[in-house]
């Protein structure tokens, strides 16, 4: 309660982080959870949800962090095709980079079609079909604080440059109809 002020999202993430850092453990023989409150209270965890989530995101692989930064710029919801364009990656690379964030529950797929890219490399995927399907693969951030945390990982002096470059990449790689549809992206 002291750290999370009763925020359910923050409380869940806080407990998860304590478990990952072995500050709370489950004693299988006794059949209950246990912790030493002194190390938990001394844990260098912030009281700010976004800052806390940014620290959690920094534990992910760098390629995942980079994809999440681009996704945060696109919005709370994003599709694989757009993410691949703005990150200058293939759909397979972008989907693979997102996998750790999916496993951690930081982003959620909208539908089951995202599994098409699981455990595949570029030699196993028909590129034309892949490009067609990638626009249909949608994701969303689990919580707006996760999106804010991912966005906060972009250095302040690079945010405008990042947005400009992403806009230019979208404009150059999308058809006229797609550009109209994704105008605000």
């Amino acid at each position: 309660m002291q750290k999370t002020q009763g925020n359910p999202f923050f409380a869940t993430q806080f407990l998860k982080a304590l478990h990952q850092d072995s500050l709370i453990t489950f004693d299988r023989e006794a059949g209950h959870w246990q912790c030493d409150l002194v190390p938990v209270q001394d844990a260098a965890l912030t009281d700010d949800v976004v800052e806390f989530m940014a620290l959690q995101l920094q534990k992910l692989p760098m390629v995942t962090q980079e994809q999440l930064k681009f996704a945060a710029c696109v919005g709370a919801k994003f599709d694989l095709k757009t993410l691949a364009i703005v990150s200058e990656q293939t759909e397979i690379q972008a989907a693979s980079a997102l996998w750790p964030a999916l496993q951690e529950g930081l982003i959620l797929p909208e539908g089951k079609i995202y599994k098409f890219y699981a455990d595949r490399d570029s030699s196993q995927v028909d590129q034309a079909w892949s490009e067609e399907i990638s626009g249909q693969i949608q994701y969303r951030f689990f919580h707006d604080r996760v999106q804010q945390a991912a966005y906060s990982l972009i250095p302040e002096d690079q945010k405008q440059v990042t947005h400009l470059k992403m806009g230019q990449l979208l404009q150059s790689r999308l058809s006229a109809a797609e550009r109209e549809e994704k105008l605000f992206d």
Side-chain angles (χ1 to χ4, degrees):
M1 184 65 175
Q2 291 171 332
K3 285 283 187 187
T4 66
Q5 283 76 49
N7 178 323
F9 171 72
F10 194 10
T12 302
Q13 295 302 314
F14 181 68
L15 288 171
K16 186 176 175 182
L18 291 175
H19 182 258
Q20 287 173 340
D21 294 341
S22 299
L23 294 174
I24 59 172
T25 57
F26 188 75
D27 184 336
R28 292 191 188 280
E29 289 181 21
H32 61 78
W33 290 90
Q34 62 185 27
C35 75
D36 184 351
L37 288 178
V38 174
V40 169
Q41 290 174 337
D42 292 343
L45 299 174
T46 177
D47 294 337
D48 180 87
V49 182
V50 173
E51 188 178 327
F52 173 77
M53 288 309 304
L55 291 171
Q56 299 311 302
L57 293 177
Q58 290 173 337
K59 294 178 183 178
L60 295 170
M62 191 57 71
V63 294
T64 304
Q65 291 179 48
E66 291 300 314
Q67 288 298 336
L68 291 175
K69 290 177 196 178
F70 289 121
C73 290
V74 173
K77 291 185 178 186
F78 55 96
D79 66 80
L80 184 60
K81 181 178 182 177
T82 301
L83 189 61
I85 290 170
V86 300
S87 66
E88 300 182 275
Q89 304 265 313
T90 67
E91 287 85 1
I92 296 164
Q93 291 169 323
S96 295
L98 288 176
W99 195 250
L102 279 164
Q103 290 176 312
E104 291 295 320
L106 299 169
I107 59 171
L108 303 172
E110 305 255 313
K112 297 189 186 276
I113 198 167
Y114 77 97
K115 292 180 182 180
F116 170 75
Y117 287 102
D119 299 323
R120 287 195 165 83
D121 62 36
S122 56
S123 65
Q124 296 175 303
V125 178
D126 178 316
Q127 197 61 35
W129 193 77
S130 173
E131 288 177 13
E132 180 181 322
I133 198 171
S134 66
Q136 299 172 28
I137 299 176
Q138 303 278 327
Y139 301 95
R140 67 179 171 86
F141 282 95
F142 172 73
H143 195 279
D144 65 327
R145 298 296 189 198
V146 177
Q147 180 189 2
Q148 291 172 357
Y151 191 73
S152 77
L153 295 178
I154 303 170
E156 201 61 44
D157 64 340
Q158 293 192 6
K159 286 182 179 172
Q160 286 184 335
V161 172
T162 301
H163 282 280
L164 176 63
K165 184 176 181 183
M166 288 173 60
Q168 290 170 334
L169 287 166
L170 282 171
Q171 185 157 6
S172 69
R173 298 215 182 132
L174 296 176
S175 69
E178 288 174 315
R179 278 197 303 268
E180 183 68 30
E181 181 182 314
K182 296 184 180 289
L183 177 64
F184 290 104
D185 292 347

